[in-house]
Amino acid sequence: MQIYQGNHEKIPQINRGVALGFFDGVHQGHLELLRTLLYHCREKNFKASVFTFPNHPDTLFVEKDQFGGYLCGFDERLNELEMCGLPELHLQDFDQTFASLSAKVFLDTYIKQRLNAKLVVAGSDYRFGQDGLGDAAFLEEWAVANGIETVIVPDVRMAGDKVSSSRVREVLRQGDLELAGRLLGHPYRITGEVVSGRGLGQKIGFPTANMIMPDDRVCPAYGVYATRTSVDGRMYDSITNVGIRPTIEHSSVKPIVETYLYCADLNLYGKTITIEFLSKTRDEKKFRSLLQLTNHISQDLSEVKAWHQSSELICQRASVKGITLNWLPTARFSQSVFSLVFRCPMDRHLTTASLLLIRILTASCRRYPTRPALASALDSLYGAQIDANLEKQGDMQSIVFSAAGLQRWTDGTSPFADVISLLFDLLLDPLVDEHGYFDSQITESERVNLMMEWKTRENDRLKYAYDSCMREICG
């Protein structure tokens, strides 16, 4: 994403579609606005752009302690906008000089002249210009007079009310992190450096990573939360307390964020971590003694572990060299499934080759050089399965390898872990000769089988009619 800052940078004079807003949190309402912008820009061949500010306009007009706080950090906001597919961003410092511009001067100077906007997209409640006198109606009237198209995006409503940054802030202050996550489209996150504490958590058996709550961020309601914590690219289930620790502190007014990664033993001092808040367990309270606090923490931990096991929330568990591992935990099934997805542009020849390739790759490996040997190995894992298929998704194709097996067997083994290992054997150690060619007998056998499947499809009247229609429509 190309970022332009202020008026001193020269920008290309091309036709643009421009979205207006601050985009704090990049919530579901913002996402609808951005999707609308990108759609219309693709249709009209405009450059999709956002005009926004690094600092919230409210910070200029209200006292520091009266500002509601940001829903995300500046870098996180830029990253979220880039992840939406936005190619260009224009940043303008919101100072007294800029705030004093009339609505018309702002539109004439920045939107029409500097950005050469041919399309402007804004929310129905967007205000701009001196004293916020510019609104959607003013924008539409100005655009008509200047031959510029406008799209006013209607409110997005969830859980009975409009999705807005102010509503998300209020929901966070009330401690409803599950609703906040739905409004944002992702869990509320706080990133910061782990600082040294008093070491009390270590002494009572719950070593926590301590973080000072950032002054400019929205602080969730004081209490105990089920959370996930990202450390060095990996995500861990955790329990987090936000508050002033009334049982052990007597004068603290600055909230502390204390997180316990109960599934990992890591030295986190000095590291930058990101905490995702998922669900509130209870309010912060003052206990009569340290022993009572310790006992209650044990109860909190049991409740949080149970919540994590039953929540069934998908998350990115790790990222390795740009490859993400998404994890969907559940305790409802004895069998688990692992899928490995490769995505590439759709191409007729590549697709045909891929259909044969995935059959060859799932037929054998060096450890099991024949399909019968491979089938026998899967049977020994109590009915474990390995499959592969090719899916069309718009102009992209996805090649999906999947492995399924029982999590645990009565002898203490994990068929699921073994079948994943077997899948990687098939992909990383295939049966090839010294020149890198697949076994010719297996290749020919799989080619014949694939052709027979196509012939069978042609003999199915319904599938034949469908294929014929698709050839007529798509060529």
Side-chain angles (χ1 to χ4, degrees):
M1 181 173 68
Q2 180 69 49
I3 299 176
Y4 297 97
Q5 294 187 330
N7 295 321
H8 59 279
E9 281 194 75
K10 187 176 181 179
I11 63 173
Q13 282 300 295
I14 56 178
N15 295 336
R16 286 183 173 83
V18 181
L20 303 175
F22 185 71
F23 301 95
D24 187 20
V26 195
H27 55 61
Q28 296 283 19
H30 295 143
L31 293 175
E32 180 65 19
L33 191 149
L34 293 168
R35 284 191 288 263
T36 301
L37 170 74
L38 292 168
Y39 170 78
H40 285 282
C41 286
R42 279 195 299 267
E43 291 286 301
K44 298 172 175 60
N45 198 29
F46 295 161
K47 187 82 166 186
S49 307
V50 158
F51 181 89
T52 190
F53 315 105
N55 55 316
H56 198 288
D58 283 357
T59 60
L60 192 67
F61 303 114
V62 301
E63 296 295 330
K64 183 177 180 181
D65 58 352
Q66 294 178 323
F67 173 54
Y70 292 102
L71 294 173
C72 63
F74 177 65
D75 290 340
E76 185 181 354
R77 179 158 55 107
L78 297 187
N79 182 64
E80 290 290 335
L81 290 171
E82 184 175 21
M83 291 294 288
C84 292
L86 186 71
E88 190 177 86
L89 182 78
H90 297 267
L91 287 170
Q92 172 65 43
D93 286 333
F94 195 90
D95 52 23
Q96 288 289 356
T97 302
F98 184 85
S100 66
L101 295 177
S102 70
K104 185 177 185 306
V105 170
F106 161 66
L107 293 174
D108 286 341
T109 304
Y110 288 86
I111 305 307
K112 181 181 178 180
Q113 295 174 16
R114 177 165 173 77
L115 299 185
N116 195 36
K118 302 301 179 185
L119 165 72
V120 179
V121 180
S124 59
D125 61 347
Y126 183 70
R127 311 292 295 212
F128 57 95
Q130 188 175 25
D131 299 324
L133 295 178
D135 58 10
F138 184 96
L139 174 61
E140 289 181 307
E141 184 179 340
W142 172 86
V144 169
N146 287 273
I148 296 173
E149 182 182 354
T150 56
V151 178
I152 303 301
V153 179
D155 294 342
V156 173
R157 300 181 67 85
M158 293 180 67
D161 206 350
K162 171 189 168 184
V163 179
S164 66
S165 296
S166 57
R167 183 185 176 198
V168 176
R169 293 188 189 99
E170 182 59 30
V171 167
L172 287 171
R173 285 191 282 265
Q174 293 171 357
D176 191 347
L177 273 296
E178 290 165 318
L179 178 56
R182 292 200 297 273
L183 299 178
L184 287 168
H186 57 76
Y188 181 60
R189 309 181 184 107
I190 294 176
T191 298
E193 182 179 334
V194 177
V195 298
S196 298
R198 296 172 55 180
L200 182 61
Q202 183 80 41
K203 294 176 182 177
I204 64 176
F206 304 101
T208 60
N210 296 346
M211 181 197 308
I212 304 298
M213 184 70 205
D215 289 334
D216 61 348
R217 292 294 302 276
V218 180
C219 182
Y222 291 176
V224 177
Y225 294 88
T227 56
R228 289 192 297 247
T229 301
S230 176
V231 183
D232 295 334
R234 290 201 60 180
M235 188 74 76
Y236 301 88
D237 291 342
S238 55
I239 180 173
T240 299
N241 182 81
V242 178
I244 56 175
R245 305 185 292 186
T247 304
I248 58 176
E249 300 281 0
H250 302 292
S251 59
S252 176
V253 293
K254 204 174 188 65
I256 303 291
V257 182
E258 302 172 286
T259 297
Y260 174 39
L261 281 60
Y262 58 81
C263 292
D265 183 14
L266 304 174
N267 182 7
L268 300 179
Y269 289 120
K271 287 185 176 291
T272 298
I273 64 174
T274 297
I275 302 169
E276 294 188 347
F277 291 82
L278 306 175
S279 180
K280 187 179 180 185
T281 301
R282 64 167 174 85
D283 292 333
E284 185 177 51
K285 60 175 69 173
K286 183 175 182 177
F287 295 96
R288 292 191 301 271
S289 66
L290 192 60
L291 177 59
Q292 188 182 33
L293 170 64
T294 303
N295 292 336
H296 214 289
I297 292 177
S298 297
Q299 180 182 330
D300 292 336
L301 183 57
S302 297
E303 292 179 12
V304 166
K305 285 181 177 180
W307 187 93
H308 276 297
Q309 290 173 355
S310 62
S311 65
E312 297 187 352
L313 286 178
I314 193 168
C315 72
Q316 181 180 311
R317 183 65 82 175
S319 180
V320 182
K321 297 182 179 179
I323 302 171
T324 59
L325 172 63
N326 294 315
W327 178 274
L328 177 60
T330 178
R332 291 190 293 137
F333 307 101
S334 58
Q335 189 177 64
S336 291
V337 178
F338 170 83
S339 294
L340 187 62
V341 183
F342 297 86
R343 302 187 74 232
C344 55
M346 179 66 73
D347 174 84
R348 180 185 302 177
H349 300 292
L350 179 61
T351 300
T352 305
S354 298
L355 284 169
L356 180 56
L357 175 62
I358 62 178
R359 295 184 65 103
I360 297 171
L361 285 171
T362 54
S364 65
C365 62
R366 291 191 189 278
R367 185 151 58 117
Y368 301 106
T370 65
R371 192 174 276 281
L374 180 61
S376 178
L378 290 170
D379 287 341
S380 70
L381 296 176
Y382 311 102
Q385 294 177 311
I386 289 179
D387 294 302
N389 62 80
L390 189 146
E391 302 171 356
K392 181 178 183 297
Q393 298 174 338
D395 59 351
M396 300 291 290
Q397 67 173 2
S398 293
I399 301 171
V400 183
F401 294 91
S402 60
L406 294 170
Q407 271 284 4
R408 290 284 182 271
W409 190 241
T410 54
D411 59 2
T413 60
S414 174
F416 179 56
D418 292 337
V419 73
I420 291 179
S421 177
L422 179 52
L423 173 59
F424 277 101
D425 274 355
L426 297 175
L427 298 177
L428 301 179
D429 193 23
L431 190 62
V432 295
D433 61 20
E434 64 274 15
H435 302 294
Y437 291 108
F438 289 112
D439 181 86
S440 58
Q441 184 176 352
I442 291 176
T443 301
E444 179 60 18
S445 173
E446 295 305 324
R447 187 190 70 82
V448 170
N449 290 340
L450 180 59
M451 296 304 296
M452 288 178 63
E453 285 187 11
W454 279 106
K455 290 294 183 183
T456 302
R457 185 177 181 88
E458 290 180 358
N459 291 331
D460 185 310
R461 291 185 178 184
L462 183 61
K463 292 179 180 177
Y464 177 77
Y466 173 82
D467 292 343
S468 299
C469 289
M470 291 302 293
R471 279 193 294 270
E472 286 294 321
I473 296 170
C474 303

